[in-house]
Amino acid sequence: VRRRLREERNQAISMKKNFRGAVLGVLLVVLLVLAAAAAIVLADAGLLHLLGVRYAAFGWLIGYVVLSSVIGLPLELFTNGLAGALFRLGWATRRQANLLYIPLDTLCSALVFRAAALLMPQVEANALAILVTGLLSALCSQPIEKARQRKRPGQDQESD
């Protein structure tokens, strides 16, 4: 009887350790994602500040960038999806799809930043700052990357 109780107690302790490890792992991943998102938001806010965007407090500028990100997510998914679909259907090369993406993403980003500026009167964004930020974000992202394949035995060249 004591042996069975000891085994059950050890199983309960083991389950608690596994649960704690799983929770710790999830929290670590969440913290890493939040840290990456915070770095992007601070970089955008710093760029907007350098380009002359006026704001009541730096927190309002951070809120402006976060609001723009939330509003712009559907448009970002659309522009990435359109470029990817054109490439995968064979209607455009990788380079053509990426070149189409740049003005399309710049325009969508400008519309989103303008909409966010209308929703937040504490932030005054000028057209130049909006366009430059949209263009830089479009240039930094490449929706269709080169496909890298491993060289197989008996294959002399790598294909893209």
Side-chain angles (χ1 to χ4, degrees):
V1 173
R2 286 185 180 185
R3 184 176 172 196
R4 196 169 83 199
L5 287 174
R6 193 176 315 139
E7 286 175 8
E8 288 177 4
R9 193 176 321 136
N10 288 340
Q11 283 179 343
I13 291 171
S14 175
M15 287 177 56
K16 284 182 183 179
K17 286 182 181 178
N18 288 340
F19 179 73
R20 288 179 188 158
V23 169
L24 184 62
V26 168
L27 286 176
L28 182 65
V29 169
V30 166
L31 286 175
L32 288 173
V33 168
L34 287 176
I40 292 170
V41 166
L42 286 174
D44 279 351
L47 178 65
L48 287 169
H49 174 76
L50 288 175
L51 292 172
V53 173
R54 294 185 180 156
Y55 47 88
F58 191 70
W60 286 110
L61 185 60
I62 297 292
Y64 172 74
V65 173
V66 170
L67 179 65
S68 298
S69 299
V70 170
I71 293 172
L73 183 63
L75 289 175
E76 181 74 23
L77 293 174
F78 170 74
T79 55
N80 282 338
L82 179 64
L86 291 175
F87 174 68
R88 285 178 186 80
L89 288 172
W91 293 355
T93 64
R94 183 183 63 81
R95 178 173 285 167
Q96 289 171 338
N98 284 334
L99 287 176
L100 170 71
Y101 171 80
I102 291 171
L104 187 62
D105 187 59
T106 301
L107 177 67
C108 289
S109 295
L111 290 174
V112 165
F113 277 126
R114 183 67 184 138
L118 292 175
L119 291 173
M120 294 186 72
Q122 297 86 354
V123 178
E124 294 178 25
N126 56 29
L128 176 67
I130 289 172
L131 285 175
V132 168
T133 305
L135 180 62
L136 287 177
S137 72
L139 288 174
C140 290
S141 60
Q142 187 177 14
I144 303 170
E145 297 177 4
K146 268 188 178 174
R148 294 183 183 154
Q149 297 176 351
R150 292 184 186 165
K151 199 171 188 179
R152 295 181 186 149
Q155 192 178 22
D156 291 336
Q157 293 179 345
E158 233 178 64
S159 60
D160 285 341

